[in-house]
Short mmCIF file of all heavy atoms in Angstrom, two decimals:
data_model
loop_
_atom_site.label_atom_id
_atom_site.label_comp_id
_atom_site.label_asym_id
_atom_site.label_seq_id
_atom_site.Cartn_x
_atom_site.Cartn_y
_atom_site.Cartn_z
N MET A 481 25.69 -99.60 -147.10
CA MET A 481 25.44 -98.33 -147.74
C MET A 481 26.42 -97.26 -147.23
O MET A 481 26.88 -96.45 -147.99
CB MET A 481 23.97 -97.93 -147.47
CG MET A 481 23.57 -96.68 -148.17
SD MET A 481 23.48 -97.00 -149.93
CE MET A 481 22.63 -95.58 -150.48
N LYS A 482 26.72 -97.32 -145.93
CA LYS A 482 27.63 -96.35 -145.35
C LYS A 482 29.03 -96.48 -145.96
O LYS A 482 29.71 -95.47 -146.17
CB LYS A 482 27.66 -96.52 -143.85
CG LYS A 482 28.51 -95.47 -143.17
CD LYS A 482 28.37 -95.54 -141.66
CE LYS A 482 29.32 -94.55 -141.08
NZ LYS A 482 28.77 -93.74 -140.06
N ARG A 483 29.44 -97.72 -146.23
CA ARG A 483 30.77 -97.94 -146.86
C ARG A 483 30.82 -97.31 -148.24
O ARG A 483 31.85 -96.72 -148.62
CB ARG A 483 31.08 -99.42 -146.94
CG ARG A 483 31.34 -100.05 -145.60
CD ARG A 483 31.58 -101.52 -145.69
NE ARG A 483 32.76 -101.78 -146.52
CZ ARG A 483 33.17 -102.98 -146.86
NH1 ARG A 483 32.51 -104.05 -146.46
NH2 ARG A 483 34.24 -103.14 -147.60
N LEU A 484 29.73 -97.38 -148.98
CA LEU A 484 29.69 -96.79 -150.31
C LEU A 484 29.77 -95.28 -150.24
O LEU A 484 30.51 -94.65 -151.02
CB LEU A 484 28.38 -97.23 -151.02
CG LEU A 484 28.27 -96.85 -152.48
CD1 LEU A 484 29.37 -97.49 -153.30
CD2 LEU A 484 26.91 -97.26 -153.01
N ILE A 485 29.07 -94.69 -149.28
CA ILE A 485 29.12 -93.24 -149.11
C ILE A 485 30.53 -92.80 -148.71
O ILE A 485 31.07 -91.83 -149.25
CB ILE A 485 28.07 -92.77 -148.08
CG1 ILE A 485 26.67 -92.98 -148.63
CG2 ILE A 485 28.29 -91.32 -147.66
CD1 ILE A 485 25.57 -92.80 -147.63
N ASN A 486 31.16 -93.55 -147.81
CA ASN A 486 32.54 -93.23 -147.40
C ASN A 486 33.50 -93.37 -148.57
O ASN A 486 34.43 -92.57 -148.70
CB ASN A 486 32.99 -94.13 -146.25
CG ASN A 486 32.34 -93.72 -144.93
OD1 ASN A 486 31.91 -92.58 -144.77
ND2 ASN A 486 32.26 -94.65 -144.00
N PHE A 487 33.27 -94.36 -149.42
CA PHE A 487 34.13 -94.53 -150.58
C PHE A 487 34.05 -93.31 -151.50
O PHE A 487 35.08 -92.77 -151.92
CB PHE A 487 33.70 -95.79 -151.36
CG PHE A 487 34.37 -95.93 -152.70
CD1 PHE A 487 35.68 -96.31 -152.77
CD2 PHE A 487 33.68 -95.62 -153.87
CE1 PHE A 487 36.31 -96.43 -154.01
CE2 PHE A 487 34.30 -95.71 -155.10
CZ PHE A 487 35.62 -96.13 -155.16
N PHE A 488 32.83 -92.86 -151.80
CA PHE A 488 32.70 -91.70 -152.69
C PHE A 488 33.20 -90.42 -152.04
O PHE A 488 33.71 -89.52 -152.73
CB PHE A 488 31.25 -91.57 -153.16
CG PHE A 488 30.93 -92.54 -154.25
CD1 PHE A 488 30.01 -93.56 -154.03
CD2 PHE A 488 31.55 -92.48 -155.49
CE1 PHE A 488 29.70 -94.48 -155.03
CE2 PHE A 488 31.27 -93.39 -156.49
CZ PHE A 488 30.34 -94.39 -156.27
N ARG A 489 33.10 -90.28 -150.73
CA ARG A 489 33.68 -89.13 -150.07
C ARG A 489 35.20 -89.14 -150.21
O ARG A 489 35.85 -88.11 -150.43
CB ARG A 489 33.30 -89.10 -148.61
CG ARG A 489 31.89 -88.63 -148.38
CD ARG A 489 31.55 -88.53 -146.91
NE ARG A 489 30.18 -88.08 -146.76
CZ ARG A 489 29.42 -88.34 -145.72
NH1 ARG A 489 29.93 -88.99 -144.69
NH2 ARG A 489 28.18 -87.88 -145.66
N GLY A 490 35.79 -90.34 -150.07
CA GLY A 490 37.24 -90.47 -150.26
C GLY A 490 37.66 -90.16 -151.68
O GLY A 490 38.66 -89.50 -151.90
N VAL A 491 36.85 -90.60 -152.61
CA VAL A 491 37.14 -90.30 -154.03
C VAL A 491 37.09 -88.80 -154.25
O VAL A 491 37.97 -88.22 -154.90
CB VAL A 491 36.13 -91.02 -154.98
CG1 VAL A 491 36.25 -90.48 -156.39
CG2 VAL A 491 36.36 -92.53 -154.93
N ASN A 492 36.10 -88.16 -153.69
CA ASN A 492 35.97 -86.70 -153.82
C ASN A 492 37.18 -85.98 -153.24
O ASN A 492 37.72 -85.04 -153.84
CB ASN A 492 34.67 -86.25 -153.15
CG ASN A 492 34.32 -84.82 -153.52
OD1 ASN A 492 34.72 -84.32 -154.55
ND2 ASN A 492 33.58 -84.17 -152.63
N ARG A 493 37.63 -86.42 -152.08
CA ARG A 493 38.82 -85.82 -151.44
C ARG A 493 40.04 -85.98 -152.32
O ARG A 493 40.83 -85.05 -152.48
CB ARG A 493 39.07 -86.43 -150.07
CG ARG A 493 38.26 -85.79 -148.94
CD ARG A 493 38.78 -86.22 -147.59
NE ARG A 493 38.77 -87.67 -147.41
CZ ARG A 493 37.77 -88.37 -146.92
NH1 ARG A 493 36.69 -87.77 -146.53
NH2 ARG A 493 37.85 -89.67 -146.80
N GLU A 494 40.23 -87.17 -152.86
CA GLU A 494 41.40 -87.43 -153.69
C GLU A 494 41.37 -86.64 -155.00
O GLU A 494 42.37 -86.19 -155.49
CB GLU A 494 41.55 -88.93 -153.98
CG GLU A 494 41.90 -89.76 -152.77
CD GLU A 494 43.24 -89.36 -152.16
OE1 GLU A 494 44.19 -89.07 -152.90
OE2 GLU A 494 43.31 -89.32 -150.92
N MET A 495 40.17 -86.50 -155.57
CA MET A 495 40.04 -85.76 -156.84
C MET A 495 40.41 -84.28 -156.65
O MET A 495 40.88 -83.63 -157.58
CB MET A 495 38.62 -85.87 -157.40
CG MET A 495 38.29 -87.28 -157.88
SD MET A 495 39.34 -87.84 -159.20
CE MET A 495 38.67 -86.91 -160.56
N LYS A 496 40.19 -83.73 -155.45
CA LYS A 496 40.58 -82.36 -155.18
C LYS A 496 42.10 -82.19 -155.11
O LYS A 496 42.61 -81.10 -155.33
CB LYS A 496 39.94 -81.89 -153.88
CG LYS A 496 38.44 -81.68 -154.02
CD LYS A 496 37.82 -81.24 -152.70
CE LYS A 496 36.31 -81.09 -152.88
NZ LYS A 496 35.65 -80.70 -151.63
N LYS A 497 42.81 -83.29 -154.84
CA LYS A 497 44.26 -83.24 -154.75
C LYS A 497 44.95 -83.37 -156.12
O LYS A 497 46.14 -83.10 -156.26
CB LYS A 497 44.79 -84.35 -153.86
CG LYS A 497 44.35 -84.24 -152.42
CD LYS A 497 44.85 -85.45 -151.64
CE LYS A 497 44.33 -85.47 -150.22
NZ LYS A 497 44.77 -86.66 -149.48
N VAL A 498 44.19 -83.75 -157.13
CA VAL A 498 44.76 -84.01 -158.46
C VAL A 498 45.19 -82.70 -159.08
O VAL A 498 44.52 -81.69 -159.02
CB VAL A 498 43.72 -84.69 -159.37
CG1 VAL A 498 44.23 -84.80 -160.79
CG2 VAL A 498 43.36 -86.08 -158.84
N SER A 499 46.37 -82.72 -159.71
CA SER A 499 46.88 -81.55 -160.44
C SER A 499 46.46 -81.71 -161.89
O SER A 499 47.08 -82.45 -162.66
CB SER A 499 48.41 -81.51 -160.31
OG SER A 499 48.91 -80.51 -161.15
N TRP A 500 45.41 -81.00 -162.27
CA TRP A 500 44.88 -81.11 -163.63
C TRP A 500 45.74 -80.25 -164.57
O TRP A 500 46.16 -79.17 -164.22
CB TRP A 500 43.44 -80.64 -163.67
CG TRP A 500 42.55 -81.51 -162.85
CD1 TRP A 500 42.08 -81.22 -161.59
CD2 TRP A 500 42.07 -82.81 -163.14
NE1 TRP A 500 41.32 -82.26 -161.12
CE2 TRP A 500 41.31 -83.25 -162.04
CE3 TRP A 500 42.20 -83.64 -164.25
CZ2 TRP A 500 40.67 -84.48 -162.03
CZ3 TRP A 500 41.58 -84.88 -164.24
CH2 TRP A 500 40.83 -85.29 -163.14
N PRO A 501 45.96 -80.73 -165.81
CA PRO A 501 46.75 -79.94 -166.75
C PRO A 501 46.01 -78.69 -167.22
O PRO A 501 44.79 -78.70 -167.32
CB PRO A 501 47.01 -80.90 -167.92
CG PRO A 501 45.91 -81.89 -167.82
CD PRO A 501 45.54 -82.01 -166.38
N LYS A 502 46.80 -77.67 -167.52
CA LYS A 502 46.22 -76.44 -168.07
C LYS A 502 45.86 -76.69 -169.55
O LYS A 502 46.27 -77.65 -170.16
CB LYS A 502 47.22 -75.29 -167.96
CG LYS A 502 47.71 -75.05 -166.57
CD LYS A 502 46.62 -74.50 -165.68
CE LYS A 502 47.18 -74.19 -164.30
NZ LYS A 502 46.38 -74.71 -163.25
N ARG A 503 45.09 -75.79 -170.13
CA ARG A 503 44.64 -75.94 -171.52
C ARG A 503 45.82 -76.08 -172.48
O ARG A 503 45.83 -76.91 -173.37
CB ARG A 503 43.77 -74.75 -171.92
CG ARG A 503 43.27 -74.86 -173.35
CD ARG A 503 42.37 -73.70 -173.72
NE ARG A 503 41.12 -73.73 -173.01
CZ ARG A 503 40.02 -74.33 -173.47
NH1 ARG A 503 40.04 -74.93 -174.62
NH2 ARG A 503 38.92 -74.30 -172.77
N LYS A 504 46.85 -75.26 -172.29
CA LYS A 504 48.03 -75.29 -173.17
C LYS A 504 48.74 -76.65 -173.08
O LYS A 504 49.13 -77.22 -174.09
CB LYS A 504 48.98 -74.15 -172.80
CG LYS A 504 50.11 -73.97 -173.76
CD LYS A 504 50.92 -72.74 -173.39
CE LYS A 504 52.06 -72.54 -174.37
NZ LYS A 504 52.84 -71.36 -174.05
N GLU A 505 48.90 -77.14 -171.88
CA GLU A 505 49.54 -78.46 -171.67
C GLU A 505 48.69 -79.55 -172.30
O GLU A 505 49.21 -80.45 -172.97
CB GLU A 505 49.70 -78.75 -170.19
CG GLU A 505 50.70 -77.90 -169.46
CD GLU A 505 50.70 -78.18 -167.98
OE1 GLU A 505 49.60 -78.35 -167.39
OE2 GLU A 505 51.80 -78.21 -167.39
N LEU A 506 47.41 -79.49 -172.08
CA LEU A 506 46.50 -80.51 -172.61
C LEU A 506 46.54 -80.53 -174.12
O LEU A 506 46.57 -81.60 -174.74
CB LEU A 506 45.08 -80.28 -172.10
CG LEU A 506 44.05 -81.33 -172.45
CD1 LEU A 506 44.44 -82.68 -171.86
CD2 LEU A 506 42.69 -80.91 -171.95
N THR A 507 46.57 -79.35 -174.74
CA THR A 507 46.65 -79.27 -176.20
C THR A 507 47.95 -79.89 -176.70
O THR A 507 47.96 -80.66 -177.66
CB THR A 507 46.55 -77.79 -176.65
OG1 THR A 507 45.33 -77.24 -176.15
CG2 THR A 507 46.58 -77.66 -178.15
N ARG A 508 49.04 -79.56 -176.04
CA ARG A 508 50.36 -80.09 -176.44
C ARG A 508 50.39 -81.62 -176.31
O ARG A 508 50.87 -82.32 -177.19
CB ARG A 508 51.45 -79.46 -175.59
CG ARG A 508 52.85 -79.77 -176.07
CD ARG A 508 53.90 -79.02 -175.31
NE ARG A 508 53.31 -78.14 -174.31
CZ ARG A 508 53.92 -77.78 -173.20
NH1 ARG A 508 55.11 -78.22 -172.93
NH2 ARG A 508 53.33 -76.99 -172.31
N TYR A 509 49.85 -82.13 -175.21
CA TYR A 509 49.83 -83.59 -175.00
C TYR A 509 48.95 -84.26 -176.04
O TYR A 509 49.29 -85.32 -176.56
CB TYR A 509 49.32 -83.92 -173.59
CG TYR A 509 50.18 -83.41 -172.46
CD1 TYR A 509 49.63 -83.18 -171.21
CD2 TYR A 509 51.53 -83.14 -172.63
CE1 TYR A 509 50.41 -82.72 -170.16
CE2 TYR A 509 52.30 -82.67 -171.58
CZ TYR A 509 51.75 -82.46 -170.36
OH TYR A 509 52.52 -82.00 -169.33
N THR A 510 47.84 -83.64 -176.35
CA THR A 510 46.91 -84.24 -177.35
C THR A 510 47.57 -84.29 -178.70
O THR A 510 47.48 -85.30 -179.41
CB THR A 510 45.60 -83.41 -177.39
OG1 THR A 510 45.03 -83.40 -176.10
CG2 THR A 510 44.65 -84.02 -178.39
N ILE A 511 48.23 -83.21 -179.11
CA ILE A 511 48.92 -83.19 -180.41
C ILE A 511 50.02 -84.24 -180.42
O ILE A 511 50.19 -84.94 -181.45
CB ILE A 511 49.48 -81.78 -180.69
CG1 ILE A 511 48.32 -80.81 -180.94
CG2 ILE A 511 50.45 -81.79 -181.85
CD1 ILE A 511 48.73 -79.36 -181.01
N THR A 512 50.74 -84.38 -179.35
CA THR A 512 51.81 -85.40 -179.26
C THR A 512 51.22 -86.80 -179.42
O THR A 512 51.77 -87.61 -180.21
CB THR A 512 52.55 -85.30 -177.93
OG1 THR A 512 53.10 -83.98 -177.80
CG2 THR A 512 53.64 -86.32 -177.82
N VAL A 513 50.14 -87.10 -178.75
CA VAL A 513 49.53 -88.42 -178.84
C VAL A 513 49.00 -88.69 -180.25
O VAL A 513 49.24 -89.76 -180.81
CB VAL A 513 48.41 -88.59 -177.78
CG1 VAL A 513 47.59 -89.82 -178.03
CG2 VAL A 513 49.01 -88.63 -176.38
N VAL A 514 48.28 -87.73 -180.82
CA VAL A 514 47.71 -87.91 -182.14
C VAL A 514 48.82 -88.12 -183.18
O VAL A 514 48.73 -88.97 -184.05
CB VAL A 514 46.79 -86.73 -182.52
CG1 VAL A 514 46.40 -86.77 -183.97
CG2 VAL A 514 45.54 -86.75 -181.63
N THR A 515 49.90 -87.32 -183.10
CA THR A 515 51.02 -87.45 -184.02
C THR A 515 51.68 -88.82 -183.87
O THR A 515 52.01 -89.46 -184.89
CB THR A 515 52.05 -86.33 -183.75
OG1 THR A 515 51.39 -85.07 -183.87
CG2 THR A 515 53.19 -86.39 -184.73
N THR A 516 51.89 -89.25 -182.65
CA THR A 516 52.53 -90.54 -182.42
C THR A 516 51.67 -91.68 -182.96
O THR A 516 52.20 -92.61 -183.60
CB THR A 516 52.81 -90.75 -180.91
OG1 THR A 516 53.60 -89.65 -180.44
CG2 THR A 516 53.49 -92.05 -180.64
N VAL A 517 50.40 -91.64 -182.71
CA VAL A 517 49.48 -92.68 -183.20
C VAL A 517 49.48 -92.68 -184.73
O VAL A 517 49.49 -93.75 -185.37
CB VAL A 517 48.08 -92.49 -182.61
CG1 VAL A 517 47.06 -93.38 -183.31
CG2 VAL A 517 48.10 -92.79 -181.13
N ALA A 518 49.41 -91.50 -185.37
CA ALA A 518 49.41 -91.42 -186.82
C ALA A 518 50.72 -92.00 -187.39
O ALA A 518 50.69 -92.76 -188.36
CB ALA A 518 49.23 -89.99 -187.26
N PHE A 519 51.83 -91.64 -186.78
CA PHE A 519 53.12 -92.17 -187.24
C PHE A 519 53.17 -93.69 -187.13
O PHE A 519 53.60 -94.39 -188.03
CB PHE A 519 54.27 -91.54 -186.43
CG PHE A 519 55.61 -92.12 -186.79
CD1 PHE A 519 56.27 -91.74 -187.95
CD2 PHE A 519 56.20 -93.06 -185.98
CE1 PHE A 519 57.48 -92.29 -188.29
CE2 PHE A 519 57.44 -93.61 -186.29
CZ PHE A 519 58.08 -93.21 -187.45
N ALA A 520 52.71 -94.21 -186.00
CA ALA A 520 52.70 -95.67 -185.78
C ALA A 520 51.80 -96.36 -186.80
O ALA A 520 52.13 -97.40 -187.34
CB ALA A 520 52.27 -96.01 -184.36
N ALA A 521 50.63 -95.76 -187.09
CA ALA A 521 49.72 -96.35 -188.05
C ALA A 521 50.35 -96.39 -189.43
O ALA A 521 50.26 -97.43 -190.13
CB ALA A 521 48.41 -95.54 -188.08
N VAL A 522 50.97 -95.31 -189.84
CA VAL A 522 51.61 -95.29 -191.17
C VAL A 522 52.77 -96.28 -191.20
O VAL A 522 52.95 -97.01 -192.18
CB VAL A 522 52.08 -93.85 -191.52
CG1 VAL A 522 52.97 -93.84 -192.76
CG2 VAL A 522 50.89 -92.93 -191.71
N PHE A 523 53.56 -96.29 -190.15
CA PHE A 523 54.69 -97.23 -190.09
C PHE A 523 54.25 -98.68 -190.25
O PHE A 523 54.77 -99.44 -191.05
CB PHE A 523 55.45 -97.03 -188.78
CG PHE A 523 56.53 -98.05 -188.57
CD1 PHE A 523 57.75 -97.95 -189.21
CD2 PHE A 523 56.35 -99.13 -187.71
CE1 PHE A 523 58.76 -98.88 -189.04
CE2 PHE A 523 57.34 -100.06 -187.51
CZ PHE A 523 58.55 -99.94 -188.17
N PHE A 524 53.24 -99.07 -189.45
CA PHE A 524 52.77 -100.46 -189.52
C PHE A 524 52.07 -100.76 -190.83
O PHE A 524 52.13 -101.89 -191.32
CB PHE A 524 51.89 -100.81 -188.32
CG PHE A 524 52.70 -100.98 -187.05
CD1 PHE A 524 52.54 -100.11 -185.99
CD2 PHE A 524 53.63 -102.00 -186.94
CE1 PHE A 524 53.29 -100.26 -184.85
CE2 PHE A 524 54.37 -102.17 -185.80
CZ PHE A 524 54.21 -101.29 -184.73
N TYR A 525 51.42 -99.76 -191.44
CA TYR A 525 50.84 -99.98 -192.74
C TYR A 525 51.91 -100.28 -193.78
O TYR A 525 51.78 -101.22 -194.57
CB TYR A 525 50.01 -98.76 -193.18
CG TYR A 525 49.53 -98.85 -194.60
CD1 TYR A 525 48.43 -99.64 -194.93
CD2 TYR A 525 50.20 -98.19 -195.62
CE1 TYR A 525 47.99 -99.74 -196.23
CE2 TYR A 525 49.77 -98.31 -196.92
CZ TYR A 525 48.67 -99.08 -197.24
OH TYR A 525 48.25 -99.20 -198.52
N VAL A 526 52.99 -99.51 -193.74
CA VAL A 526 54.08 -99.70 -194.70
C VAL A 526 54.74 -101.06 -194.48
O VAL A 526 55.03 -101.80 -195.43
CB VAL A 526 55.11 -98.56 -194.59
CG1 VAL A 526 56.38 -98.85 -195.37
CG2 VAL A 526 54.49 -97.25 -195.06
N VAL A 527 54.99 -101.43 -193.24
CA VAL A 527 55.61 -102.71 -192.92
C VAL A 527 54.68 -103.85 -193.39
O VAL A 527 55.12 -104.84 -194.02
CB VAL A 527 55.91 -102.84 -191.42
CG1 VAL A 527 56.29 -104.27 -191.04
CG2 VAL A 527 57.03 -101.88 -191.04
N ASP A 528 53.39 -103.77 -193.10
CA ASP A 528 52.44 -104.78 -193.51
C ASP A 528 52.37 -104.90 -195.01
O ASP A 528 52.37 -106.01 -195.56
CB ASP A 528 51.05 -104.44 -192.94
CG ASP A 528 50.00 -105.49 -193.29
OD1 ASP A 528 50.27 -106.69 -193.02
OD2 ASP A 528 48.97 -105.11 -193.85
N PHE A 529 52.34 -103.77 -195.70
CA PHE A 529 52.30 -103.77 -197.16
C PHE A 529 53.58 -104.42 -197.74
O PHE A 529 53.52 -105.22 -198.64
CB PHE A 529 52.14 -102.33 -197.68
CG PHE A 529 52.05 -102.26 -199.16
CD1 PHE A 529 50.87 -102.60 -199.81
CD2 PHE A 529 53.14 -101.85 -199.92
CE1 PHE A 529 50.78 -102.53 -201.20
CE2 PHE A 529 53.05 -101.77 -201.29
CZ PHE A 529 51.87 -102.11 -201.95
N GLY A 530 54.72 -104.08 -197.14
CA GLY A 530 55.98 -104.64 -197.61
C GLY A 530 56.03 -106.15 -197.41
O GLY A 530 56.47 -106.88 -198.31
N ILE A 531 55.62 -106.64 -196.28
CA ILE A 531 55.63 -108.06 -196.03
C ILE A 531 54.63 -108.77 -196.93
O ILE A 531 54.93 -109.84 -197.47
CB ILE A 531 55.31 -108.35 -194.53
CG1 ILE A 531 56.48 -107.87 -193.67
CG2 ILE A 531 55.04 -109.82 -194.31
CD1 ILE A 531 56.23 -107.93 -192.17
N SER A 532 53.48 -108.17 -197.16
CA SER A 532 52.48 -108.76 -198.06
C SER A 532 53.04 -108.90 -199.48
O SER A 532 52.87 -109.93 -200.13
CB SER A 532 51.21 -107.93 -198.08
OG SER A 532 50.62 -107.89 -196.82
N GLU A 533 53.67 -107.85 -199.95
CA GLU A 533 54.26 -107.88 -201.29
C GLU A 533 55.38 -108.92 -201.37
O GLU A 533 55.54 -109.62 -202.39
CB GLU A 533 54.78 -106.50 -201.70
CG GLU A 533 53.68 -105.51 -201.99
CD GLU A 533 52.78 -105.94 -203.13
OE1 GLU A 533 53.29 -106.38 -204.20
OE2 GLU A 533 51.55 -105.89 -202.95
N LEU A 534 56.16 -109.01 -200.34
CA LEU A 534 57.25 -110.01 -200.31
C LEU A 534 56.69 -111.42 -200.37
O LEU A 534 57.21 -112.26 -201.14
CB LEU A 534 58.08 -109.82 -199.02
CG LEU A 534 59.47 -110.37 -199.03
CD1 LEU A 534 60.35 -109.54 -199.95
CD2 LEU A 534 60.02 -110.33 -197.63
N ILE A 535 55.65 -111.68 -199.64
CA ILE A 535 55.02 -113.01 -199.66
C ILE A 535 54.42 -113.30 -201.03
O ILE A 535 54.54 -114.41 -201.53
CB ILE A 535 53.97 -113.11 -198.53
CG1 ILE A 535 54.69 -113.14 -197.18
CG2 ILE A 535 53.09 -114.34 -198.70
CD1 ILE A 535 53.78 -113.11 -195.98
N ARG A 536 53.79 -112.28 -201.65
CA ARG A 536 53.23 -112.47 -203.00
C ARG A 536 54.33 -112.83 -204.00
O ARG A 536 54.13 -113.66 -204.88
CB ARG A 536 52.49 -111.23 -203.43
CG ARG A 536 51.14 -111.08 -202.81
CD ARG A 536 50.31 -109.99 -203.51
NE ARG A 536 49.18 -109.70 -202.68
CZ ARG A 536 48.99 -108.55 -202.01
NH1 ARG A 536 49.82 -107.56 -202.13
NH2 ARG A 536 47.92 -108.40 -201.26
N LEU A 537 55.51 -112.21 -203.86
CA LEU A 537 56.61 -112.51 -204.79
C LEU A 537 57.11 -113.93 -204.57
O LEU A 537 57.47 -114.62 -205.52
CB LEU A 537 57.74 -111.52 -204.58
CG LEU A 537 57.55 -110.11 -205.17
CD1 LEU A 537 58.70 -109.22 -204.75
CD2 LEU A 537 57.43 -110.16 -206.67
N VAL A 538 57.17 -114.37 -203.32
CA VAL A 538 57.67 -115.70 -203.01
C VAL A 538 56.66 -116.76 -203.51
O VAL A 538 57.07 -117.79 -204.05
CB VAL A 538 57.90 -115.86 -201.49
CG1 VAL A 538 58.17 -117.32 -201.13
CG2 VAL A 538 59.07 -114.95 -201.05
N ILE A 539 55.39 -116.50 -203.36
CA ILE A 539 54.38 -117.47 -203.75
C ILE A 539 54.33 -117.63 -205.30
O ILE A 539 54.16 -118.73 -205.80
CB ILE A 539 52.99 -117.06 -203.21
CG1 ILE A 539 52.96 -117.23 -201.71
CG2 ILE A 539 51.88 -117.88 -203.85
CD1 ILE A 539 51.69 -116.76 -201.04
N ARG A 540 54.52 -116.57 -206.03
CA ARG A 540 54.50 -116.66 -207.50
C ARG A 540 55.70 -117.33 -207.98
O ARG A 540 56.31 -117.98 -208.39
CB ARG A 540 54.46 -115.27 -208.13
CG ARG A 540 53.14 -114.61 -207.87
CD ARG A 540 53.12 -113.27 -208.56
NE ARG A 540 51.87 -112.60 -208.22
CZ ARG A 540 51.56 -111.40 -208.61
NH1 ARG A 540 52.40 -110.70 -209.32
NH2 ARG A 540 50.44 -110.85 -208.27
#
């Protein structure tokens, strides 16, 4: 039990050392991530659609 308490005390100490992003930074990072994920989703949808259509043309 003492080891567990020491572990959480260590976690608490380390969490105080963390440099948390400010609201403006967090907003910018969130927009960047959402934009990147949306772009990747559209890109892979287009590639998947193109390959599917190509296969349909070959099969016919």
Side-chain angles (χ1 to χ4, degrees):
M481 185 69 167
K482 185 171 175 135
R483 290 177 60 184
L484 187 61
I485 292 170
N486 286 338
F487 171 76
F488 282 114
R489 282 184 181 155
V491 168
N492 193 25
R493 275 193 303 270
E494 291 299 320
M495 292 299 284
K496 288 179 183 178
K497 296 177 186 178
V498 173
S499 172
W500 298 101
K502 304 291 183 229
R503 180 178 291 269
K504 189 174 180 180
E505 292 174 319
L506 186 61
T507 303
R508 189 173 359 151
Y509 298 156
T510 302
I511 291 171
T512 302
V513 168
V514 169
T515 304
T516 303
V517 168
F519 176 77
V522 170
F523 173 77
F524 285 115
Y525 172 78
V526 170
V527 169
D528 181 53
F529 182 77
I531 291 172
S532 298
E533 288 300 313
L534 201 70
I535 290 175
R536 283 193 193 112
L537 284 174
V538 170
I539 290 176
R540 290 183 185 177

